[in-house]
Amino acid sequence: MKHNVLVVLLIVFVLPVFAQNKYTLSGYVKDAKTGELLIGAEVYIKELMKGQSTNNYGFYSITVPEGKYTLVSQYFGFDDFNQSIQLNRDQRINIELGFYLDTLGEVVVESERKDQNTTGTQMGTIELDMTKIKTLPAFMGEVDILKTIQLLPGVQSGGEGNTGFYVRGGGPDQNLILLDEATVYNASHLFGFFSVFNADAIKKVNLIKGGMPANYGGRLSSVLDITMNDGNYKEYHANGGIGVIASRLTVEGPIKKDTASFIVSGRRTYIDVLTKPFVNDSASAAGSGYYFYDLTAKANWRISDKDRLFLSGYFGRDVFTFNNDNLGLNFRVPWGNATASLRWNHLFNDRLFLNTTAIFSDYKFAFEAEQSQFKFKLSSGIRDYNLKTDFTWFAGSNHKVKFGVNYIYHTFTPSSFSGSSGDQEFGTAEITRIKANEGAIYILDEFEIGERIKINAGARLSAFQHIGPFTRYYKNETSQLTDSTRTWGKGESIIVYPGFEPRFSARYLFADQSSFKLGFTHNYQYVHLASISAISLPTDLWFPSSELVKPQIGTQYSIGYFKNFKENTFETSVELYYKKLRNLIEYKQNAQPEDNVADNVDNQLTFGDGYSYGAEFFLKKKMGDWTGWIGYTWSRTMRQFDAIDQGNEFSAKYDRRHDLSVVLSYDISKRVNVGAAFVYASGNTITLPYSRYFDFTESALVTVWGPRNGDRMPAYHRADISCTIKGKHEKKYIDAETGETKMKPKRIKSNWNISVYNLYNRANPYFIYFDNEGDLNSGTLDLGAYQVSLFPILPSVTWNFEF
């Protein structure tokens, strides 16, 4: 009987392997006009309906049995590619897709498979269409990626005009923001009103807010993975725009045709330039101003069909200055990011793809002030050197394995303070820097079981080491004065934290092509952000896990139902999630960043836990004259700290029960598009004073505060509209040979974008402050609350051009 079983197993499983020879088709998919690699293009064997989507470098690999087939490649906005092949050996087929003009004459590029919403394993993953983003209403005419993702379910804005965002109850520091794989620690300009990303230089935006795969780590809540354009490999082009407060210019072209390319994109505001002629040189505030600028650049070199190099970088600065001659006060506030990524792609064979990346990331903030003979400077920052290697093994048409290793060397500068008064200096003469090592290895396996079940399972093993040089200040619990210190030497280990991070997501596909998905993630985060304010500001401090500060730990469970309608024209989804957060941080009451002089940042912190749960509803129309989406989130986010509000649970400062977004875009004609957006959100939480009384014993006015975040500000809602009017992109000419009148493209193309922000002039609350009214002696003393709003109705006009 045993031998019979072995024979059956041999026939069923082993013999088919020898009976069928399997071969691999692989290659790259790119835009035939520009040479840009296409991310997420669908490549499959028509007869078998098996295939892959291209990876972030446009590469695909398909392994199928020997035979005669039709190879098909599709990418929305481009002509389909079809080629008959006789597969009797491994073959390399590089595909070039030519774009087509849809019925409205607009090129639409959308980097996702038509049915990816239902067939993929990832939950809470959304890819944004850069072409459509540019047609949506924009604040002051500046297209903003971060403000666009705030219109998605499960993503909440940090406040009026703010680019800081919160995902499923997590804080702004729990979002991993990547630009060509480099971490961006502060993604905002103008104190949060604009993001640092110039949309003209961006190819792809991918947001993961649930089911984070194992190749990502270091954060608890989300990944915002932004990929830059490669640059045109065929010919030189330029595009840009002139707006109300800023202008931008992008230049791209071949370094060597079809082999190497570049793209350079710059942007600058000119508020300071426009206002300078209207400020008298003798005015008390002459010399005050604000501006930001950024520069994004990338170069690429195809060394061979197996080796490619990518070098990309970003540099941006904000500079705010204030001068008041009457007060003798001058201060300057510069801050900004710098990143650089050098990537090497290598194909070992048709199934094994390698990407090795060396990354530099730096964020700096400074506040410099001078009044009479008094000077002081407050500075902070973080700098990373990062080396990572990622392998992708295309084991089969429906089986893909990723594995890799990552190392980061951190240098933190948590709020160094120095100053002087005349000849006397005080504060820290030497800038305090904290060093740390962070590393991880991971593996993930994505495979199908039959036609219905698809699984993405993986694990990440991470570790964090705080190293010297470092001085620890130990505090007396009663007096909070320094009792003693301990110093570690250079490279000496202070503490090590390991972390095991399992990840799992799965999909079950129903007969009607709808699907049910579930996901589980367990993440460690070793870097922390301490914020005094309720909104994200450049004064926020980054610092590492330490003896006192344990790594943040997040565990998320999610389930969802996904269905597409009318040949994938409509996408719908419902997702439910529960997230548990541990080792969260807050500043102790009355703590200030300048208190770090002769002290450690973590001595000013208190620690607690939190949780969040909610339901997200999403309806998206992808194709046709009308496009857009409706997103609604119901959620609850709570926190618990032993040292806050007597240990009672309280709502997080960004807890919002309801969040609704409606986004619409309509092509009126070939040349005219209108867009609209409406948002509604429950008001932010706030702690209000309940009463005030005069204590005659202490001779002081005493304020009695209510529970932490026990009240809410008024609800936030706003409507924006925009209209994009294209110029005529063709002109008539007479054919010299035939005498016929024909049309040819104009060398310079342009359009006007007119936007209105806050259409019905809603006075949304930015913050609320309190002041006394009346007189204590007459018994009329009263505490008044006053709302401050930022932006009324704001129209803007931008002229965009390309040639």
Side-chain angles (χ1 to χ4, degrees):
M1 181 68 182
K2 184 184 296 183
H3 295 293
N4 293 336
V5 172
L6 291 175
V7 170
V8 171
L9 292 174
L10 181 66
I11 294 173
V12 172
F13 294 102
V14 180
L15 289 183
V17 174
F18 294 97
Q20 288 183 313
N21 293 322
K22 289 190 175 183
Y23 298 102
T24 300
L25 282 169
S26 63
Y28 293 88
V29 180
K30 57 186 178 181
D31 183 337
K33 184 179 180 181
T34 66
E36 283 268 359
L37 297 172
L38 299 180
I39 302 171
E42 188 175 354
V43 186
Y44 62 93
I45 301 298
K46 185 176 181 180
E47 289 77 7
L48 304 177
M49 291 305 295
K50 290 185 177 181
Q52 295 276 358
S53 294
T54 56
N55 66 8
N56 279 351
Y57 301 94
F59 180 75
Y60 75 93
S61 178
I62 306 171
T63 301
V64 293
E66 180 180 357
K68 188 174 182 179
Y69 301 112
T70 303
L71 179 65
V72 179
S73 181
Q74 296 175 326
Y75 196 81
F76 195 69
F78 287 76
D79 287 320
D80 290 354
F81 171 89
N82 293 272
Q83 180 175 320
S84 297
I85 56 170
Q86 181 65 49
L87 190 61
N88 51 19
R89 58 183 175 82
D90 292 342
Q91 296 183 34
R92 179 69 54 79
I93 300 179
N94 293 326
I95 300 171
E96 291 192 351
L97 299 182
F99 70 94
Y100 67 81
L101 299 181
D102 64 12
T103 55
L104 297 177
E106 178 186 3
V107 179
V108 182
V109 177
E110 186 163 335
S111 54
E112 65 175 307
R113 292 174 57 183
K114 296 176 183 178
D115 60 351
Q116 185 67 25
N117 180 54
T118 57
T119 60
T121 58
Q122 298 304 319
M123 299 182 62
T125 300
I126 299 175
E127 295 182 9
L128 297 179
D129 175 0
M130 291 305 303
T131 304
K132 289 299 182 185
I133 288 176
K134 293 180 179 181
T135 66
L136 299 180
F139 175 67
M140 298 301 289
E142 284 297 302
V143 176
D144 199 314
I145 293 170
L146 296 190
K147 282 191 172 63
T148 302
I149 69 168
Q150 292 172 5
L151 299 172
L152 299 171
V155 184
Q156 299 173 355
S157 68
E160 172 73 286
N162 199 283
T163 56
F165 61 98
Y166 306 87
V167 177
R168 291 185 172 180
D173 62 319
Q174 295 175 0
N175 303 313
L176 179 62
I177 302 176
L178 301 174
L179 179 63
D180 271 5
E181 301 192 47
T183 301
V184 178
Y185 282 97
N186 188 310
S188 63
H189 284 306
L190 191 58
F191 299 99
F193 296 126
F194 298 101
S195 77
V196 300
F197 305 113
N198 187 341
D200 291 344
I202 302 303
K203 177 193 294 187
K204 174 192 171 187
V205 179
N206 188 31
L207 174 68
I208 304 173
K209 53 191 174 75
M212 188 187 300
N215 54 309
Y216 294 106
R219 300 294 187 274
L220 303 186
S221 290
S222 76
V223 177
L224 184 64
D225 195 350
I226 301 172
T227 304
M228 292 169 51
N229 287 322
D230 295 333
N232 197 311
Y233 285 87
K234 306 288 186 179
E235 54 190 7
Y236 295 99
H237 282 281
N239 66 79
I242 301 174
V244 175
I245 65 168
S247 289
R248 63 191 193 279
L249 177 65
T250 300
V251 179
E252 60 180 328
I255 299 173
K256 182 179 180 181
K257 191 173 182 179
D258 294 326
T259 301
S261 70
F262 76 93
I263 182 170
V264 178
S265 188
R267 180 175 55 162
R268 192 195 192 278
T269 58
Y270 32 67
I271 304 173
D272 55 326
V273 178
L274 294 178
T275 57
K276 189 174 182 178
F278 302 99
V279 179
N280 195 303
D281 291 339
S282 60
S284 60
S288 300
Y290 169 84
Y291 65 91
F292 74 74
Y293 62 90
D294 51 45
L295 180 70
T296 307
K298 187 173 184 178
N300 315 277
W301 181 27
R302 296 172 182 168
I303 303 172
S304 68
D305 206 32
K306 289 191 173 183
D307 295 278
R308 303 181 181 215
L309 285 177
F310 302 82
L311 176 62
S312 54
Y314 168 87
F315 183 85
R317 283 291 181 269
D318 288 64
V319 180
F320 176 54
T321 58
F322 177 79
N323 299 314
N324 190 305
D325 293 338
N326 293 336
L327 299 176
L329 173 65
N330 303 299
F331 66 77
R332 184 173 183 269
V333 188
W335 74 92
N337 299 275
T339 70
S341 303
L342 176 62
R343 290 174 289 172
W344 170 48
N345 290 174
H346 177 69
L347 284 177
F348 288 99
N349 54 51
D350 293 328
R351 295 193 188 186
L352 186 58
F353 183 92
L354 163 74
N355 180 63
T356 296
T357 310
I359 302 167
F360 169 80
S361 181
D362 181 77
Y363 170 69
K364 292 179 180 178
F365 167 80
F367 182 90
E368 305 164 1
E370 179 179 355
Q371 186 173 26
S372 300
Q373 295 187 6
F374 176 77
K375 299 179 181 179
F376 78 90
K377 180 178 180 179
L378 180 71
S379 62
S380 65
I382 178 172
R383 173 174 291 184
D384 291 347
Y385 294 96
N386 185 346
L387 184 63
K388 63 194 294 283
T389 297
D390 302 283
F391 293 86
T392 304
W393 176 42
F394 297 88
S397 298
N398 300 311
H399 186 191
K400 182 167 59 178
V401 179
K402 290 184 178 181
F403 56 96
V405 60
N406 182 24
Y407 168 74
I408 306 173
Y409 179 69
H410 296 286
T411 302
F412 299 85
T413 308
S415 189
S416 292
F417 175 78
S418 62
S420 65
S421 180
D423 296 330
Q424 183 177 1
E425 295 186 357
F426 53 90
T428 57
E430 183 177 347
I431 296 177
T432 301
R433 292 186 173 91
I434 301 175
K435 311 287 186 177
N437 298 312
E438 182 176 353
I441 57 174
Y442 75 89
I443 184 170
L444 69 86
D445 192 354
E446 185 173 77
F447 58 93
E448 292 187 3
I449 303 176
E451 296 181 354
R452 302 290 186 196
I453 300 175
K454 190 173 186 178
I455 292 174
N456 186 313
R460 186 179 182 92
L461 182 61
S462 59
F464 187 88
Q465 180 188 35
H466 180 196
I467 60 174
F470 181 72
T471 299
R472 165 63 64 190
Y473 296 87
Y474 295 100
K475 298 291 184 178
N476 182 287
E477 293 185 3
T478 304
S479 66
Q480 288 300 302
L481 299 176
T482 300
D483 273 348
S484 61
T485 64
R486 179 183 174 183
T487 300
W488 285 264
K490 182 179 180 180
E492 189 176 353
S493 180
I494 300 171
I495 193 167
V496 176
Y497 290 105
F500 178 67
E501 307 177 40
R503 316 282 176 84
F504 179 85
S505 58
R507 175 225 72 197
Y508 182 83
L509 191 64
F510 296 102
D512 63 353
Q513 295 303 302
S514 64
S515 64
F516 172 79
K517 301 181 187 181
L518 58 88
F520 167 80
T521 59
H522 186 71
N523 296 28
Y524 280 71
Q525 179 171 329
Y526 300 102
V527 297
H528 312 263
L529 185 68
S531 176
I532 293 290
S533 171
I535 60 175
S536 297
L537 290 175
T539 51
D540 297 344
L541 304 180
W542 288 96
F543 61 93
S545 297
S546 65
E547 294 174 287
L548 300 183
V549 182
K550 296 180 180 179
Q552 299 179 65
I553 302 174
T555 304
Q556 181 176 229
Y557 307 87
S558 55
I559 59 173
Y561 178 74
F562 301 76
K563 185 173 177 58
N564 292 0
F565 297 93
K566 290 192 174 182
E567 299 180 345
N568 299 306
T569 298
F570 291 91
E571 292 182 356
T572 63
S573 64
V574 178
E575 295 187 48
L576 308 177
Y577 69 89
Y578 175 82
K579 181 188 292 184
K580 178 67 177 177
L581 300 170
R582 290 188 287 161
N583 304 330
L584 303 177
I585 64 164
E586 292 280 357
Y587 269 117
K588 293 178 180 177
Q589 188 172 357
N590 300 322
Q592 295 294 332
E594 57 267 26
D595 296 338
N596 293 335
V597 178
D599 202 350
N600 305 122
V601 173
D602 48 14
N603 283 330
Q604 305 176 55
L605 303 175
T606 184
F607 311 99
D609 299 327
Y611 64 88
S612 179
Y613 56 86
E616 300 170 0
F617 303 86
F618 191 53
L619 168 63
K620 179 181 179 181
K621 186 175 185 293
K622 298 171 55 177
M623 296 175 281
D625 295 347
W626 282 99
T627 57
W629 68 82
I630 300 174
Y632 170 74
T633 304
W634 182 95
S635 63
R636 190 175 188 223
T637 303
M638 303 298 291
R639 297 289 185 262
Q640 189 275 321
F641 287 72
D642 290 339
I644 297 177
D645 207 15
Q646 300 178 336
N648 295 319
E649 276 192 357
F650 59 91
S651 297
K653 59 188 177 185
Y654 33 82
D655 170 54
R656 289 180 182 165
R657 201 67 67 243
H658 305 283
D659 201 305
L660 172 69
S661 298
V662 180
V663 179
L664 297 173
S665 177
Y666 178 58
D667 293 317
I668 296 176
S669 69
K670 292 181 180 181
R671 296 176 51 199
V672 181
N673 170 277
V674 293
F678 172 78
V679 295
Y680 174 90
S682 301
N684 287 340
T685 61
I686 188 173
T687 304
L688 294 178
Y690 276 17
S691 63
R692 271 189 172 184
Y693 65 90
F694 189 80
D695 187 330
F696 290 95
T697 304
E698 300 292 335
S699 299
L701 192 64
V702 178
T703 300
V704 179
W705 293 90
R708 179 71 168 255
N709 295 339
D711 292 275
R712 290 188 181 275
M713 291 192 286
Y716 181 97
H717 54 87
R718 188 191 78 243
D720 309 326
I721 60 171
S722 68
C723 179
T724 302
I725 305 171
K726 297 179 181 180
K728 293 181 179 180
H729 292 172
E730 293 182 323
K731 63 180 180 180
K732 295 179 180 179
Y733 77 99
I734 298 176
D735 191 306
E737 295 182 0
T738 65
E740 296 178 342
T741 301
K742 296 183 178 180
M743 303 296 293
K744 67 178 182 179
K746 287 184 176 180
R747 179 168 177 77
I748 299 177
K749 302 176 182 178
S750 65
N751 67 70
W752 289 91
N753 180 273
I754 304 167
S755 294
V756 180
Y757 180 89
N758 196 6
L759 179 64
Y760 52 87
N761 202 31
R762 162 73 174 174
N764 285 301
Y766 187 59
F767 64 85
I768 293 176
Y769 72 96
F770 304 92
D771 199 6
N772 297 325
E773 293 181 341
D775 180 71
L776 178 64
N777 295 326
S778 62
T780 60
L781 182 64
D782 190 24
L783 178 65
Y786 301 90
Q787 174 181 305
V788 175
S789 300
L790 282 185
F791 302 120
I793 180 172
L794 288 175
S796 62
V797 178
T798 303
W799 180 63
N800 301 301
F801 60 88
E802 60 176 293
F803 57 88

